[in-house]
Amino acid sequence: MTAALTRAGAEPTRWPAVAAVVASGVVAALQVGKGAIALPALRAEFGLGLEAAGWIMSVFALLGVVGGIPAGAAVARFGDRRLLALGLAALALGSLAGSIAGSFPTLLATRVLEGLGFLLVVVAAPALLQRIVAGPDRDLAFGIWSAFMPAGMAIALLLGAALAGWRPFWAANAVLAAIFALLVLVAVRARERARDNPSWRETGRDAVLTATSRGPLLLAAAFGLYSLLYFTLASFLPVLLMDRMGVAVATAGVLSAVAVGANVLGNLAAGLLLGRGAARWALIATAVLVMAASGIAIFALPLPPTVVLLLCVLFSGVGGLLPATVLGAAGLVAPKPGLAPMTLGLTMQGNNLGQVIGPVVVGGVVDAAGWPAAAIPVAIAGALALAVAVALRP
C-alpha cells in the first residue's frame, strides 16, 4: 500500500462536528436497518417471497453500484457539508413518502429516493471527516465513523421491533433525518478557503484515473466482498432467527441487534489497532477468514440455537475490523491529492455491489434449496476476499 498522502491538519480536530457527522451516518444506516426488521411485515402485507423482499435492502446498493464515483465527484465539486445535508433531506423525503405507500412498487420507488440520499451521506461524510480531523486523530475518527452502519442497524432492529407497524417507523425516521440535515448545517463549518472548481473534463479524467488505479480498485473489491458476506447474514438475520429459533419478531429484533451491534466493537478495535501500527492487509484477512468460517457454520451445520447466535456475534464482531481499515485507507491510496472523495466513492461502489448481490442471491438460493445452501456463496466470497487482502500487502 502506498505511503500516506495525508498529514496532520493545522487545526485540532473538531470533535463536536465529528459527532454530528457520525450521528448523521447512523441516521442514514437506520434507513437500512428499518428494512431488515420490517421484512416479515412487508412480506405479509404485500405477499412477497424472500427474493423479492431482498430488493427492499438491495435497492440502496443498486444505486451505489453506479453512483459512487459520480457522488464523489459531486462532493468534490459542490462541497462535502452541502451534499451531506442534501443527502439527509432526501432520506427524510423518501422515508415520509414510503410511510404512506399503498403498493410494493410505490414503496420501492420511495426507497430509490432514500437510496440516493444514503449514497450522498456515505460519500460526503468521510470526505468531510478528512477535512475536519487532524492527521494524528484520523484512524480513531474513521474507526468511530465506520461503526455508523452497525450502530444504525442495531438501533433500527431494536426500535422497529418495539413499534406497532412499519409505517410509523418510516414516518419517525423522516422526522429524524430532517432534524439532522439542519444540525449538520449548524454544527459543521463550510470550507474556509474557496477554491476553483475543476472543469467537467478534468473531473472526468480524475474519475477515470481513480477507477483504473490499483489501490482504489483493491479497496473497492475488499469492501464489496465484505458487504456481500455481511449483508448476506444481516439482511435476513431476523427471519433466520425466527425460522431457526422459533422466536417472535420482537425477540428476533433484540437478538439481531446484539449480533449487529457487535460490529461496532470491531470497528472501534480496528481504529485502535491501526493507531498501534497493525497492518491493514492483516486486519482485512482476519476479518474475512472469521466471517467466512462462521458464516458457513451458521448456514450449513445443524447447530443448537444458542451456538448459532454466538456465531452470528462472532461473524459480526470480527468482521467489523474491515470497514474502518478500508475507509481509513482511501486517502492513502488515492492516485493523487484531492481525489480522496472519488476514491471513497469507488470504494462505496464496491460496498454497494456486495449489498446488491448478497441479499438477492442468497434470498434466491434459500427460496430454492433452504438455508444450508447459503453457505456456498459465503465460501466463494470468503476465498476471493482473502486473495484481495493478500494483494493489499505493501
Side-chain angles (χ1 to χ4, degrees), residues 44-102:
E45 180 169 339
F46 296 113
L48 307 174
L50 271 181
E51 186 173 5
W55 284 105
I56 290 292
M57 306 293 293
S58 295
V59 69
F60 272 38
L62 185 61
L63 293 168
V65 169
V66 297
I69 285 185
V75 168
R77 188 174 182 85
F78 300 112
D80 41 33
R81 171 176 170 269
R82 184 182 303 170
L83 269 293
L84 177 57
L86 180 62
L88 288 164
L91 287 172
L93 183 58
S95 194
L96 180 62
S99 69
I100 57 175

Side-chain angles (χ1 to χ4, degrees), residues 14 21 24 74-76 78-88 120 123-125 127-129 131-132 180-191:
R14 305 167 187 167
V21 173
S24 297
V75 168
F78 300 112
D80 41 33
R81 171 176 170 269
R82 184 182 303 170
L83 269 293
L84 177 57
L86 180 62
L88 288 164
L120 289 178
V123 174
L128 200 159
L129 290 177
R131 176 166 67 86
I132 64 175
F180 272 87
L182 296 175
L183 179 61
V184 164
L185 295 176
V186 172
V188 182
R189 291 193 304 205
R191 281 193 306 231

Side-chain angles (χ1 to χ4, degrees), residues 18 23 33 53 70-71 130 197 216 231 247 283 293-294 296 307 333 355 360 369 374 393:
V18 170
Q130 289 277 358
N197 286 327
F231 284 93
V247 297
L283 293 181
S294 55
I296 291 169
V307 176
V333 303
Q355 290 185 46
V360 174
R393 293 179 66 182

Side-chain angles (χ1 to χ4, degrees), residues 31-32 34-36 39 42-43 45-63 90-91 93-117 166-167 170 356 359-360:
Q31 316 316 311
V32 180
K34 74 183 184 186
L39 279 184
L42 293 173
R43 291 178 67 194
E45 180 169 339
F46 296 113
L48 307 174
L50 271 181
E51 186 173 5
W55 284 105
I56 290 292
M57 306 293 293
S58 295
V59 69
F60 272 38
L62 185 61
L63 293 168
L91 287 172
L93 183 58
S95 194
L96 180 62
S99 69
I100 57 175
S103 66
F104 184 63
T106 303
L107 180 63
L108 274 183
T110 67
R111 291 289 279 178
V112 169
L113 180 56
E114 289 184 60
L116 291 172
W166 65 272
R167 293 181 188 273
W170 253 245
V356 168
V360 174

Side-chain angles (χ1 to χ4, degrees), residues 5-25:
L5 294 174
T6 55
R7 61 181 177 82
E11 296 184 4
T13 299
R14 305 167 187 167
W15 288 109
V18 170
V21 173
V22 173
S24 297

Side-chain angles (χ1 to χ4, degrees), residues 58-316:
S58 295
V59 69
F60 272 38
L62 185 61
L63 293 168
V65 169
V66 297
I69 285 185
V75 168
R77 188 174 182 85
F78 300 112
D80 41 33
R81 171 176 170 269
R82 184 182 303 170
L83 269 293
L84 177 57
L86 180 62
L88 288 164
L91 287 172
L93 183 58
S95 194
L96 180 62
S99 69
I100 57 175
S103 66
F104 184 63
T106 303
L107 180 63
L108 274 183
T110 67
R111 291 289 279 178
V112 169
L113 180 56
E114 289 184 60
L116 291 172
F118 180 83
L119 178 61
L120 289 178
V121 170
V122 299
V123 174
L128 200 159
L129 290 177
Q130 289 277 358
R131 176 166 67 86
I132 64 175
V133 175
D137 298 327
R138 197 153 287 153
D139 283 328
L140 176 59
F142 272 94
I144 297 170
W145 158 254
S146 58
F148 81 94
M149 181 63 82
M153 290 189 68
I155 293 170
L157 290 167
L158 285 172
L159 297 181
L163 294 177
W166 65 272
R167 293 181 188 273
F169 195 32
W170 253 245
N173 273 277
V175 173
L176 190 62
I179 290 173
F180 272 87
L182 296 175
L183 179 61
V184 164
L185 295 176
V186 172
V188 182
R189 291 193 304 205
R191 281 193 306 231
E192 296 176 354
R193 181 172 57 87
R195 67 181 185 183
D196 294 333
N197 286 327
S199 69
W200 288 112
R201 178 176 296 179
E202 291 172 325
T203 300
R205 284 200 298 264
D206 287 343
V208 172
L209 175 63
T210 302
T212 55
S213 296
R214 180 177 183 272
L217 285 172
L218 286 175
L219 289 188
F223 214 169
L225 291 164
Y226 162 82
S227 293
L228 192 154
L229 288 166
Y230 183 79
F231 284 93
T232 287
L233 184 65
S235 297
F236 299 116
L237 191 52
V239 178
L240 173 66
L241 295 177
M242 290 168 67
D243 287 352
R244 295 282 290 273
M245 301 179 71
V247 297
V249 63
T251 303
V254 172
L255 296 178
S256 298
V258 170
V260 171
N263 195 263
V264 174
L265 300 179
N267 280 278
L268 297 177
L272 296 175
L273 290 171
L274 288 169
R276 293 176 177 271
R280 292 184 186 273
W281 78 270
L283 293 181
I284 294 171
T286 300
V288 297
L289 277 173
V290 172
M291 292 177 79
S294 55
I296 291 169
I298 289 166
F299 289 120
L301 301 181
L303 300 171
T306 303
V307 176
V308 171
L309 179 60
L310 291 175
L311 284 174
C312 289
V313 172
L314 179 67
F315 174 99
S316 179

